[in-house]
Coordinates of all heavy atoms in Angstrom, one line a residue:
F138 N -6.7 13.4 -0.4 CA -6.1 12.9 0.9 C -6.6 13.8 2.0 O -6.6 15.0 1.9 CB -4.6 12.9 0.9 CG -4.0 11.9 -0.1 CD1 -2.7 12.0 -0.5 CD2 -4.8 10.9 -0.7 CE1 -2.1 11.2 -1.4 CE2 -4.2 10.1 -1.7 CZ -2.8 10.2 -2.0
E139 N -6.9 13.1 3.2 CA -7.2 13.9 4.4 C -5.9 14.0 5.2 O -5.2 13.0 5.4 CB -8.2 13.2 5.2 CG -9.6 13.1 4.5 CD -10.3 14.5 4.4 OE1 -10.0 15.4 5.3 OE2 -11.1 14.7 3.5
P140 N -5.5 15.2 5.7 CA -4.2 15.4 6.4 C -4.1 14.5 7.6 O -3.0 14.2 8.0 CB -4.2 16.9 6.7 CG -5.4 17.5 6.2 CD -6.3 16.4 5.5
D141 N -5.2 14.2 8.3 CA -5.1 13.5 9.5 C -5.4 12.0 9.4 O -5.6 11.3 10.4 CB -6.1 14.1 10.5 CG -5.9 15.5 10.8 OD1 -4.7 15.9 10.9 OD2 -6.8 16.3 11.0
D142 N -5.3 11.5 8.2 CA -5.6 10.0 7.9 C -4.4 9.1 8.0 O -4.5 8.0 7.6 CB -6.2 9.9 6.5 CG -7.7 10.1 6.5 OD1 -8.3 10.4 7.6 OD2 -8.3 10.1 5.4
L143 N -3.3 9.6 8.5 CA -2.1 8.8 8.5 C -2.3 7.5 9.3 O -1.9 6.4 8.8 CB -0.9 9.6 9.1 CG 0.5 9.0 9.0 CD1 0.8 8.5 7.6 CD2 1.5 10.0 9.5
P144 N -2.8 7.6 10.6 CA -3.0 6.3 11.3 C -4.0 5.4 10.6 O -3.8 4.1 10.6 CB -3.6 6.7 12.6 CG -3.3 8.2 12.8 CD -3.2 8.7 11.4
V145 N -5.0 5.9 9.9 CA -5.9 5.1 9.1 C -5.2 4.4 8.0 O -5.4 3.2 7.8 CB -7.1 6.0 8.6 CG1 -8.0 5.2 7.6 CG2 -7.9 6.6 9.7
C146 N -4.4 5.1 7.3 CA -3.6 4.5 6.1 C -2.7 3.3 6.6 O -2.7 2.3 6.0 CB -2.8 5.6 5.5 SG -3.7 6.8 4.7
V147 N -2.0 3.6 7.7 CA -1.1 2.5 8.2 C -1.9 1.3 8.7 O -1.6 0.2 8.5 CB -0.1 3.1 9.3 CG1 0.7 2.0 9.8 CG2 0.7 4.2 8.6
G148 N -3.0 1.6 9.4 CA -3.9 0.6 9.9 C -4.5 -0.3 8.8 O -4.5 -1.5 8.9
I149 N -5.0 0.4 7.8 CA -5.6 -0.3 6.7 C -4.5 -1.2 5.9 O -4.7 -2.3 5.5 CB -6.3 0.6 5.7 CG1 -7.6 1.1 6.4 CG2 -6.6 -0.1 4.4 CD1 -8.3 2.2 5.6
L150 N -3.3 -0.6 5.8 CA -2.2 -1.4 5.1 C -1.8 -2.6 6.0 O -1.6 -3.7 5.5 CB -1.0 -0.4 5.0 CG 0.1 -0.8 4.0 CD1 -0.5 -1.1 2.6 CD2 1.1 0.3 3.9
A151 N -1.8 -2.4 7.3 CA -1.5 -3.6 8.2 C -2.7 -4.6 8.1 O -2.4 -5.8 8.1 CB -1.3 -3.1 9.6
G152 N -3.9 -4.1 8.0 CA -5.0 -5.0 7.8 C -4.9 -5.8 6.5 O -5.2 -7.0 6.5
F153 N -4.5 -5.1 5.4 CA -4.3 -5.8 4.2 C -3.2 -6.9 4.3 O -3.4 -8.1 3.9 CB -3.8 -4.9 3.1 CG -4.9 -4.3 2.2 CD1 -5.2 -3.0 2.3 CD2 -5.7 -5.1 1.4 CE1 -6.2 -2.4 1.5 CE2 -6.7 -4.6 0.6 CZ -7.0 -3.3 0.6
A154 N -2.1 -6.6 4.9 CA -1.0 -7.5 5.1 C -1.5 -8.7 5.9 O -1.3 -9.9 5.5 CB 0.2 -6.9 5.8
F155 N -2.2 -8.5 7.0 CA -2.6 -9.6 7.9 C -3.7 -10.4 7.2 O -3.6 -11.7 7.1 CB -3.1 -9.1 9.2 CG -3.6 -10.1 10.1 CD1 -2.7 -11.0 10.8 CD2 -5.0 -10.3 10.3 CE1 -3.2 -12.0 11.7 CE2 -5.5 -11.3 11.1 CZ -4.6 -12.2 11.8
S156 N -4.7 -9.8 6.7 CA -5.8 -10.5 6.1 C -5.4 -11.3 4.8 O -5.9 -12.4 4.6 CB -7.0 -9.6 5.8 OG -6.6 -8.6 4.9
L157 N -4.5 -10.7 4.0 CA -4.1 -11.5 2.9 C -3.2 -12.7 3.3 O -3.3 -13.7 2.6 CB -3.3 -10.6 1.9 CG -4.2 -9.6 1.1 CD1 -3.4 -8.6 0.3 CD2 -5.2 -10.3 0.2
H158 N -2.5 -12.6 4.3 CA -1.8 -13.8 4.8 C -2.7 -14.9 5.3 O -2.5 -16.0 5.1 CB -0.7 -13.4 5.9 CG 0.6 -13.0 5.3 ND1 1.4 -13.9 4.7 CD2 1.2 -11.8 5.2 CE1 2.5 -13.2 4.2 NE2 2.4 -11.9 4.5
V159 N -3.8 -14.4 6.0 CA -4.8 -15.4 6.5 C -5.4 -16.1 5.3 O -5.6 -17.3 5.2 CB -5.8 -14.7 7.4 CG1 -7.0 -15.6 7.6 CG2 -5.2 -14.3 8.7
V160 N -5.8 -15.3 4.3 CA -6.4 -15.8 3.0 C -5.4 -16.7 2.3 O -5.8 -17.8 1.8 CB -6.9 -14.7 2.1 CG1 -7.2 -15.2 0.7 CG2 -8.0 -13.9 2.7
S161 N -4.2 -16.4 2.3 CA -3.2 -17.2 1.7 C -3.1 -18.6 2.4 O -3.0 -19.6 1.8 CB -1.8 -16.5 1.8 OG -0.8 -17.4 1.5
F162 N -3.1 -18.6 3.7 CA -3.0 -19.8 4.5 C -4.3 -20.6 4.3 O -4.2 -21.9 4.0 CB -2.9 -19.5 6.0 CG -2.8 -20.7 6.9 CD1 -1.7 -21.5 6.9 CD2 -3.9 -21.0 7.7 CE1 -1.7 -22.6 7.7 CE2 -3.9 -22.1 8.5 CZ -2.8 -22.9 8.5
L163 N -5.5 -20.0 4.3 CA -6.7 -20.7 4.1 C -6.8 -21.3 2.6 O -7.2 -22.4 2.4 CB -7.9 -19.9 4.3 CG -8.1 -19.4 5.8 CD1 -9.2 -18.5 5.9 CD2 -8.3 -20.6 6.7
T164 N -6.3 -20.6 1.7 CA -6.3 -21.0 0.3 C -5.3 -22.2 0.1 O -5.7 -23.2 -0.5 CB -5.8 -19.9 -0.6 OG1 -6.6 -18.7 -0.4 CG2 -5.9 -20.3 -2.1

Side-chain angles (χ1 to χ4, degrees):
F138 296 165
E139 293 292 333
D141 299 323
D142 276 356
L143 188 53
V145 173
C146 295
V147 175
I149 289 174
L150 199 51
F153 267 113
F155 179 76
S156 61
L157 286 174
H158 273 289
V159 169
V160 168
S161 165
F162 179 71
L163 294 175
T164 307

